[in-house]
Amino acid sequence: MRRLRALLSGTATAALAAAGLVGLTTAQADGAPAAADQLSNRWYAAAPYLMPLDNDPPSATAIMDATGLKAFQLAFVLAPNGGGCTPTWDGTAPVSNDTAVGSVINAIRAKGGDVSISIGGYNGTKLGQACGTPEATAAAYQQVITKYGLHAIDFDLEEPEYENTAAIHNEIGAAKILQGSNPGLYVSVTTAGTAAGTGWFGQQMLNEAKAQGFTPNNFSIMPFDGGFNGASSQTAALTAFNGILRSTFGWSEATAYAHEGFSGMNGRSDAGEMFPQDAFRTVLDYATSHGMDRFTFWSLNRDRQCNPPDNGGRTSGTCSSVPQGAWDFAKYSVEFAGATPPDNPPPTDPPGSGTCTAAAWDSTKAYTGGQEVSYQGHDWKAKWWSQGEVPGSTGEWGAWQDEGPC
């Protein structure tokens, strides 16, 4: 995914604690999550991207409560910034001794959900670049699969890695090895989109997959940051990409759509393109009517309103820059998975004293009068911010104050 994936960073533990993601469930002794029951592939196909350590990570469990979402695409696993062929989160946090992301995964699984993990992305050094062979690359990724008991994985192959022939050979070879050694593993491959479907390097990646005899669950394109303008340009790109899949692999139109995916960017893109809710609705309808395999977006960290809503005409890694309700875009993912978002999500206004005992008050947030109120487990907590600032701005935050059970 794109540049804004690392706009904000900080201590992982602090970020997770602020998002309410730490200590929600007990991890195994080594910090790895317990294996989850496998969801249907449609849920992994619908999983939106979430950065669990950066870009002001929201509470995954709150999103689940508000929308019915069950699956998350956690990003990104990379090679170490200092070099080497071992998996890390964002190039800095070794997967081998991780507990922070494991806590997020445990919390999601405790509520009946699951995760896929995305490798690669726009920035950083990819393991396909750092590891010398497909086998070594696969061994590094197998550590991630084993650590977290994964049923799904995403290969996000884009700049500059997909311009490196050797790296793409390693990544596609690794994907094939993992697919064979982990029966039932859901594998998506995500790459850049253009008006013609995908560009020269995307075509070379497809040619590499054909040469190695590798067929993932889907090849997904990202039709944004390339001169796109609304949903019609995106659906046109998806139609064109279907033609590329047909000509490359000799598939029928229906088979190509069954192996095709869409990965969008909600709200304002890095390049200033606008994809509001109605654009997502149009592409969702296209995807479902054509039998496409995947519908996802970048990112849940951005699936909330900025202040002001247009963010002053700027793109943010932590809000969408379009007017919206919290998690509006996640609800399209829920629909693609074949579920129905709840008609009565948790309320958006805080209750009066002694009136928040209903389960509907769990795990949501409201902002009123300079105060954020969070309801979790029938306890409510209040947090004040200075200078009238609201989430998404740069004001300093006060400490959480436990106000006790409702």
Side-chain angles (χ1 to χ4, degrees):
M1 287 296 161
R2 294 294 179 172
R3 302 165 182 83
L4 287 167
R5 72 173 184 84
L7 265 183
L8 301 179
S9 63
T11 302
T13 302
L16 289 163
L21 296 176
V22 172
L24 295 180
T25 182
T26 302
Q28 290 177 298
D30 66 354
D37 291 336
Q38 187 162 0
L39 300 176
S40 71
N41 278 354
R42 195 68 168 184
W43 275 114
Y44 299 114
Y49 288 83
L50 170 68
M51 293 195 79
L53 301 181
D54 290 291
N55 281 9
D56 189 19
S59 167
T61 54
I63 296 172
M64 296 174 77
D65 287 341
T67 67
L69 187 67
K70 287 188 176 182
F72 298 80
Q73 188 81 57
L74 303 185
F76 284 105
V77 166
L78 295 167
N81 287 344
C85 181
T86 56
T88 68
W89 285 102
D90 298 326
T92 59
V95 165
S96 60
N97 58 12
D98 166 68
T99 58
V101 178
S103 293
V104 179
I105 297 173
N106 274 332
I108 292 167
R109 288 177 173 170
K111 293 181 71 68
D114 200 13
V115 303
S116 175
I117 285 179
S118 187
I119 56 186
Y122 187 82
N123 295 319
T125 301
K126 319 308 189 299
L127 283 161
Q129 297 170 275
C131 302
T133 64
E135 291 76 15
T137 309
Y141 292 140
Q142 185 64 54
Q143 295 176 46
V144 182
I145 293 171
T146 302
K147 167 82 172 182
Y148 300 114
L150 296 182
H151 301 299
I153 193 168
D154 173 52
F155 285 75
D156 192 329
L157 306 179
E158 48 183 307
E159 297 180 4
E161 183 185 33
Y162 82 155
E163 300 169 1
N164 182 323
T165 301
I168 292 302
H169 175 76
N170 290 341
E171 296 283 11
I172 294 298
K176 182 179 180 181
I177 292 169
L178 295 174
Q179 188 183 60
S181 57
N182 298 273
L185 183 71
Y186 182 90
V187 182
S188 55
V189 175
T190 307
T191 197
T194 69
T198 192
W200 191 88
F201 292 110
Q203 179 67 69
Q204 299 315 299
M205 182 271 291
L206 296 176
N207 292 345
E208 180 68 34
K210 180 181 179 181
Q212 294 200 35
F214 167 65
T215 304
N217 290 77
N218 66 76
F219 294 102
S220 297
I221 58 169
M222 299 177 286
F224 59 86
D225 286 357
F228 293 93
N229 183 23
S232 61
S233 63
Q234 294 183 311
T235 57
L238 291 168
T239 301
F241 188 56
N242 182 267
I244 291 173
L245 293 176
R246 290 157 60 187
S247 63
T248 302
F249 297 101
W251 292 336
S252 68
E253 178 179 292
T255 300
Y257 274 122
H259 289 88
E260 181 174 353
F262 164 81
S263 183
M265 189 167 181
N266 52 314
R268 191 181 194 278
S269 77
D270 306 291
E273 304 146 330
M274 301 303 292
F275 304 107
Q277 293 91 326
D278 60 349
F280 265 59
R281 168 58 64 191
T282 297
V283 177
L284 173 62
D285 291 344
Y286 177 96
T288 54
S289 65
H290 286 80
M292 286 176 56
D293 184 66
R294 188 170 179 232
F295 180 93
T296 184
F297 69 92
W298 180 264
S299 65
L300 288 167
N301 303 68
R302 306 178 68 252
D303 195 5
R304 44 198 172 186
Q305 185 168 283
C306 302
N307 180 53
D310 70 350
N311 200 39
R314 300 182 302 273
T315 306
S316 172
T318 61
C319 54
S320 66
S321 300
V322 297
Q324 70 160 98
W327 327 129
D328 275 356
F329 293 94
K331 294 174 184 177
Y332 296 115
S333 296
V334 173
E335 289 188 44
F336 184 76
T340 302
D343 290 330
N344 55 342
T348 57
D349 294 318
S353 175
T355 64
C356 55
T357 56
W361 292 110
D362 285 357
S363 301
T364 188
K365 293 181 179 179
Y367 307 101
T368 181
Q371 185 182 46
E372 174 185 337
V373 183
S374 177
Y375 307 91
Q376 293 179 324
H378 303 293
D379 290 346
W380 68 279
K381 300 175 182 292
K383 180 179 179 182
W384 293 85
W385 59 87
S386 65
Q387 302 172 352
E389 300 287 357
V390 299
S393 68
T394 58
E396 295 182 0
W397 290 79
W400 282 102
Q401 302 295 323
D402 189 350
E403 301 294 339
C406 300

